Amino acid sequence: MGGNHGHHPGELSDGEARSRALESLLREKGLLQGDIVDKIVDVYTSDIGPLNGARAVAKAWVDDSFRARLLDNATAALREIGIGGMQGEYMVAVENTDAVHNVVVCTLCSCYPWPVLGLPPTWYKDAPYRSRVVREPRAVLAEFDTHLSDDVEIRVWDSSSEMRYLVLPQRPQGTEDLAEDQLVELVTRDSMIGVTVLPDYHAGVTA
Ligand code: FE
């Protein structure tokens, strides 16, 4: 919890200010045209994340050694499978168990692990989620239809420009016979933020 933020709400970080300045300069010089920036955003939304996170989670479920490396040093473990870069330089993976449930927030702004989860959902950036999930995580999770029993400890992780978190959700019941690439498809963005848990799997039933 806690940690220093490199920036504050309503204030551009150095990186944001630089990227805006760069974008206007490139437009002015005619080097950046049309909707290229939107296309980059699309790539982050649909191609890069949250599929990357799902790949890491499914691999951790089937490969104990990778799971151990992910929990020990997520940045390095993610790099093994080709995930890394902007907004994901220092990653920490936190594992859900029968006793502990993890959820991620950025209380000051909207720090988020882009390379693993793509773009943050709107609610993640909104003030109500950012303030309430710290004070009353159980109530906030219930609003996502996540009802945890009282004996499950909830840990809330506050992201910062230095540290981004990835929740390793529990492998769903009923997936013992599934291959890694089938498991990838079951992992949702929200389960990796920690606001939901993955439902039991029933062969032949698609979500
Ligand atoms: Fe932030």
Side-chain angles (χ1 to χ4, degrees):
M1 298 278 302
N4 289 327
H5 269 65
H7 50 290
H8 304 283
E11 187 180 295
L12 289 184
S13 70
D14 282 357
E16 287 159 350
R18 286 167 64 95
S19 67
R20 289 197 193 182
L22 186 59
E23 183 181 345
S24 0
L25 180 65
L26 291 173
R27 281 197 190 285
E28 204 173 290
K29 300 284 181 197
L31 294 172
L32 187 61
Q33 287 166 347
D35 57 357
I36 185 69
V37 173
D38 291 338
K39 281 184 180 149
I40 292 170
V41 169
D42 280 349
V43 166
Y44 262 99
T45 309
S46 48
D47 296 345
I48 295 181
L51 186 61
N52 273 345
R55 282 169 50 217
V57 167
K59 187 171 178 61
W61 285 341
V62 301
D63 179 344
D64 280 341
S65 153
F66 179 77
R67 177 178 147 275
R69 294 199 298 282
L70 184 70
L71 295 172
D72 179 56
N73 181 340
T75 312
L78 290 166
R79 203 175 294 130
E80 284 177 36
I81 56 171
I83 303 171
M86 192 170 59
Q87 308 292 309
E89 290 90 345
Y90 300 100
M91 291 290 312
V92 173
V94 287
E95 181 181 39
N96 288 348
T97 66
D98 288 340
V100 175
H101 180 90
N102 298 281
V103 60
V104 177
V105 65
C106 174
T107 54
L108 285 195
C109 40
S110 56
C111 299
Y112 190 76
W114 287 31
V116 232
L117 296 184
L119 294 178
T122 306
W123 53 258
Y124 182 89
K125 297 184 278 186
D126 286 346
Y129 175 76
R130 288 168 24 217
S131 58
R132 291 185 55 229
V133 75
V134 176
R135 293 199 315 268
E136 41 175 2
R138 214 168 280 276
V140 171
L141 293 183
E143 289 162 25
F144 284 89
D145 218 17
T146 302
H147 305 279
L148 299 172
S149 87
D150 287 341
D151 56 359
V152 176
E153 177 196 344
I154 302 178
R155 292 185 188 155
V156 182
W157 299 89
D158 194 358
S159 311
S160 69
S161 49
E162 291 83 26
M163 203 74 86
R164 312 290 165 110
Y165 296 93
L166 170 71
V167 174
L168 176 55
Q170 285 189 284
R171 181 171 174 163
Q173 300 289 321
T175 58
E176 295 74 14
D177 296 331
L178 296 192
E180 186 175 337
D181 58 342
Q182 295 173 295
L183 292 170
V184 170
E185 293 176 22
L186 302 180
V187 184
T188 62
R189 178 198 67 194
D190 287 358
S191 73
M192 294 182 283
I193 300 174
V195 291
T196 60
V197 295
L198 297 172
D200 292 353
Y201 176 80
H202 304 285
V205 179
T206 48

